[in-house]
Amino acid sequence: MAYKWEIRLSGTGGQGVIKASVILAEAALIDGHNAVQSQVYGPESRGSATRAEVKISDSKILMPKVVVPNILLCMSVQAFNKYAYNISDGGLMILDGDIGIGEEPPRVQVHRRPIIAIARENMGDELYANTVALGLINKIASLVSDDSMFESLERNFSARLLAANIRAYRLGLEAASHL
Amino acid sequence: MANVRLVQGNVACAMGALAAGSTFYAGYPITPSTEIAEHMAVALPKIGGIFLQMEDEIASMGAIIGASCTGAKAFTATSGPGFSLMQELIGYAAMTEIPCVIVDVQRPGPSTALPTLSSQGDVQQARWGCHGFHSIIAIAPSSIMEIYYQMINAFNLAEKYRTPVIFLMDEEIGHLRERFELPDNYKPEIINRKKPESDLEVYLPYINDQSNGVPPMANFGDGYRYHISGLTHNEKGFYSSVPSVVDTEIRRMVGKIEDNVDDIAQFEEIGAADCDILVIAYGSVARSAQEAVETMRADGLSVGLLRPIVLWPFPTDYFTKACIGKKAVVVAEMNLGQYAREIRRVVHTDIPLKSLTRVDGEFVYPDDIIDAVKEVL
């Protein structure tokens, strides 16, 4: 059973891909869709391969996990090597920097942006890369309305971090429109 | 959509406990259950409740039993290694008939195994983990809303039957986040333990004259003086080794649950009555099973789903009847066939039973279940 959006966000523990997936799934709920969010990670809190998954649909979502995503984000070489060849034909692949150059799988739409560098250079901290990635993905795929995303950011970040994350999200939106 | 929230299974569990009126949590954090402790640590002090982080799981059980004796609705949460440690005191709670709820968010085992992955390996431990003659109630929810509602049910059953109740989640459902939305003005039905009405001097805490086998329970501080012991006891609660007394008390304790299986059992059925192949699954795996069954039914196959929500007490008659006339039964679970073994016991020997098992920490996917059904079709 295929759901409308089956999204896999992959990277390294500590990059915030789980947090990004939570924000995206909650935004989808606010938008009036159904959504489930799950993750796979190791016993370590940082440094291991991490993947987070979101399914978005207007029907009831039963099996919660993503088997073959139609959107895949890779934020580390390790994650690319593990997940890059498991994506549906015509799927969207979003890659950070020069990850997997020349090794992109066929029949996918590859969008490559310096996500981590954008966070580092504009926000002064790579930790914002997950929110930059959210803006980028949402601009490319139009998953949820920006209003719902802002509401979700507000629900998922403390007041202290909200403004910076909204800025990071907007950087992601802008990054989608130019190379 | 202001009321709609994305809520994690473990958080829904804690929210359900609070909705049930829980005011006491004692536990030792362990993956994949830790978010329950985290949520209770924040929530309980705000309502005047008590959160205790204990030195281990044995002490955690002791603390919730003691708290329950004072009238508090008390619970703990753990995973496999901690659940093993809790068994002796779960038996103590069963023997002394003290209501409490034990959440086990299952991960693969034995021992520490795969802390961050999912399993349903504690199904038989939930039933038989503590030694001796006892019955138990165990509930296995499949969605975030069901976790919330069934956690309220877990406390209600604990109070109604004066028994420990095992809330058997798995990592997949504990860490899953999905839609959480309560109806407007939702107010849960809350059941509280029956209190004694007798004079202070004549209270019998383990009296055997109730129609459903559950004696009234006085809380510490109510004024009743009585004795609580893990030794076999008479109606007053004092040690007895008189065979007729022991036999009567043990059979009442077991019977109060087993004889009320119709009140306790809950199921969901999808086309189960008139199908050729019946799929049985529970917890997170039931979601894959439902997706598989719906896919196969759309393809014209005669397949149905039976999802037990309460795993124990085991409703023997129900399962026997549900399987009559089937061409085959498929039981899918993340263990080596713990519930399949129970189903096999009660299904007519002429009916083939396929036990679909998984123990590597990976999920049971719809395709796995479709393949298993096609094997027996």
Side-chain angles (χ1 to χ4, degrees):
Chain A
M1 200 179 291
Y3 295 101
K4 187 172 180 191
W5 294 113
E6 306 212 7
I7 303 147
R8 176 170 291 154
L9 308 180
S10 67
T12 299
Q15 282 185 326
V17 296
I18 293 177
K19 181 79 172 178
S21 69
V22 168
I23 294 163
L24 175 58
E26 182 138 30
L29 289 184
I30 296 166
D31 242 15
H33 308 294
N34 279 321
V36 299
Q37 180 277 343
S38 64
Q39 62 269 302
V40 174
Y41 59 97
E44 315 87 347
S45 59
R46 284 187 173 72
S48 61
T50 301
R51 73 172 199 250
E53 297 170 350
V54 178
K55 282 184 167 180
I56 301 173
S57 173
D58 289 325
S59 60
K60 186 179 177 189
I61 300 172
L62 296 168
M63 209 281 283
K65 298 178 86 75
V66 169
V67 180
V68 181
N70 50 23
I71 296 182
L72 173 66
L73 167 75
C74 297
M75 295 265 279
S76 73
V77 174
Q78 198 186 3
F80 178 87
N81 291 339
K82 204 166 173 182
Y83 302 118
Y85 281 81
N86 182 19
I87 178 169
S88 64
D89 281 357
L92 299 171
M93 179 178 254
I94 292 121
L95 300 173
D96 173 63
D98 54 6
I99 288 172
I101 279 188
E103 298 173 50
E104 299 91 340
R107 294 185 296 280
V108 299
Q109 308 169 47
V110 176
H111 297 267
R112 184 186 291 288
R113 296 290 187 282
I115 300 168
I116 296 173
I118 289 171
R120 187 175 55 237
E121 285 158 20
N122 294 276
M123 305 297 300
D125 198 332
E126 293 182 4
L127 279 177
Y128 291 97
N130 59 345
T131 317
V132 174
L134 266 185
L136 179 60
I137 293 168
N138 201 32
K139 187 72 179 180
I140 293 169
S142 299
L143 300 171
V144 299
S145 69
D146 283 329
D147 281 350
S148 296
M149 196 67 99
F150 290 131
E151 159 102 36
S152 183
L153 287 167
E154 203 174 325
R155 290 187 189 186
N156 286 286
F157 284 109
S158 64
R160 188 171 63 84
L161 296 172
L162 180 62
N165 276 285
I166 287 175
R167 205 150 64 83
Y169 177 74
R170 290 190 189 282
L171 286 170
L173 295 178
E174 287 164 25
S177 30
H178 52 78
L179 266 172
Chain B
M1 291 295 158
N3 296 322
V4 177
R5 294 165 60 189
L6 186 75
V7 171
Q8 189 197 52
N10 281 342
V11 172
C13 174
M15 290 164 67
L18 291 163
S22 177
T23 55
F24 188 94
Y25 178 98
Y28 185 83
I30 180 172
T31 300
S33 75
T34 304
E35 294 86 358
I36 300 170
E38 288 175 344
H39 192 89
M40 296 310 289
V42 173
L44 281 175
K46 290 181 187 165
I47 58 165
I50 292 173
F51 172 90
L52 283 179
Q53 179 164 330
M54 303 302 293
E55 66 269 36
D56 60 31
E57 290 85 349
I58 302 173
S60 305
M61 267 310 296
I64 66 165
I65 289 169
S68 182
C69 287
T70 72
K73 293 191 179 172
F75 82 112
T76 187
T78 188
S79 186
F83 192 49
S84 297
L85 284 176
M86 289 177 177
Q87 292 304 327
E88 172 166 6
L89 283 178
I90 292 172
Y92 182 85
M95 185 60 147
T96 55
E97 301 181 65
I98 296 170
C100 54
V101 175
I102 300 100
V103 180
D104 174 17
V105 188
Q106 297 165 95
R107 67 192 221 187
S111 192
T112 35
L114 294 162
T116 60
L117 300 181
S118 196
S119 165
Q120 295 175 317
D122 303 346
V123 167
Q124 290 289 353
Q125 192 188 10
R127 176 64 188 88
W128 298 110
C130 57
H131 62 277
F133 318 111
H134 74 292
S135 187
I136 199 85
I137 296 172
I139 301 172
S142 285
S143 71
I144 271 48
M145 286 315 303
E146 190 167 83
I147 289 170
Y148 179 84
Y149 291 125
Q150 285 296 335
M151 197 59 183
I152 297 168
N153 184 39
F155 276 95
N156 284 346
L157 290 171
E159 294 282 320
K160 183 174 183 180
Y161 290 104
R162 279 189 71 175
T163 180
V165 172
I166 313 296
F167 202 67
L168 213 47
M169 311 224 293
D170 53 69
E171 187 276 339
E172 195 61 52
I173 203 78
H175 280 158
L176 182 71
R177 290 179 176 88
E178 68 181 340
R179 172 186 287 265
F180 182 93
E181 187 177 19
L182 290 174
D184 289 342
N185 306 317
Y186 171 71
K187 236 178 114 56
E189 186 203 346
I190 300 295
I191 297 175
N192 294 309
R193 62 192 70 170
K194 200 190 301 168
K195 295 281 210 80
E197 289 164 358
S198 60
D199 291 341
L200 292 180
E201 295 75 25
V202 295
Y203 172 51
L204 296 173
Y206 299 101
I207 193 167
N208 191 26
D209 70 350
Q210 303 292 315
S211 56
N212 68 353
V214 186
M217 180 171 173
N219 298 332
F220 288 177
D222 283 352
Y224 294 89
R225 287 176 62 191
Y226 68 104
H227 194 241
I228 298 175
S229 174
L231 290 165
T232 51
H233 39 259
N234 57 24
E235 290 185 323
K236 291 180 180 164
F238 287 105
Y239 169 66
S240 172
S241 61
V242 176
S244 61
V245 172
V246 173
D247 185 83
T248 302
E249 280 294 296
I250 293 289
R251 288 183 194 278
R252 175 186 60 74
M253 267 173 38
V254 173
K256 74 180 177 183
I257 293 171
E258 296 294 331
D259 296 346
N260 287 303
V261 62
D262 290 343
D263 177 52
I264 300 166
Q266 286 186 43
F267 310 90
E268 185 186 16
E269 293 181 14
I270 293 172
D274 53 2
C275 63
D276 289 340
I277 311 287
L278 183 64
V279 177
I280 299 175
Y282 52 88
S284 62
V285 175
R287 299 173 70 114
S288 280
Q290 186 177 343
E291 193 160 306
V293 164
E294 286 183 6
T295 303
M296 287 185 283
R297 288 174 75 86
D299 290 343
L301 297 179
S302 179
V303 186
L305 174 70
L306 199 167
R307 177 173 76 89
I309 299 167
V310 177
L311 299 185
W312 310 113
F314 187 78
T316 301
D317 293 347
Y318 171 82
F319 277 114
T320 305
K321 279 181 200 143
C323 295
I324 286 174
K326 302 303 177 202
K327 272 195 197 160
V329 175
V330 174
V331 184
E333 50 194 335
M334 286 186 286
N335 57 46
L336 286 173
Q338 294 188 9
Y339 214 60
R341 178 191 174 93
E342 209 67 23
I343 304 288
R344 176 74 278 174
R345 191 173 65 75
V346 301
V347 174
H348 195 280
T349 47
D350 290 347
I351 301 172
L353 186 146
K354 164 84 184 163
S355 172
L356 172 58
T357 64
R358 182 126 220 183
V359 290
D360 56 359
E362 288 289 311
F363 199 46
V364 178
Y365 290 97
D367 283 351
D368 301 329
I369 293 164
I370 291 172
D371 290 345
V373 167
K374 288 187 173 160
E375 265 182 53
V376 296
L377 205 61

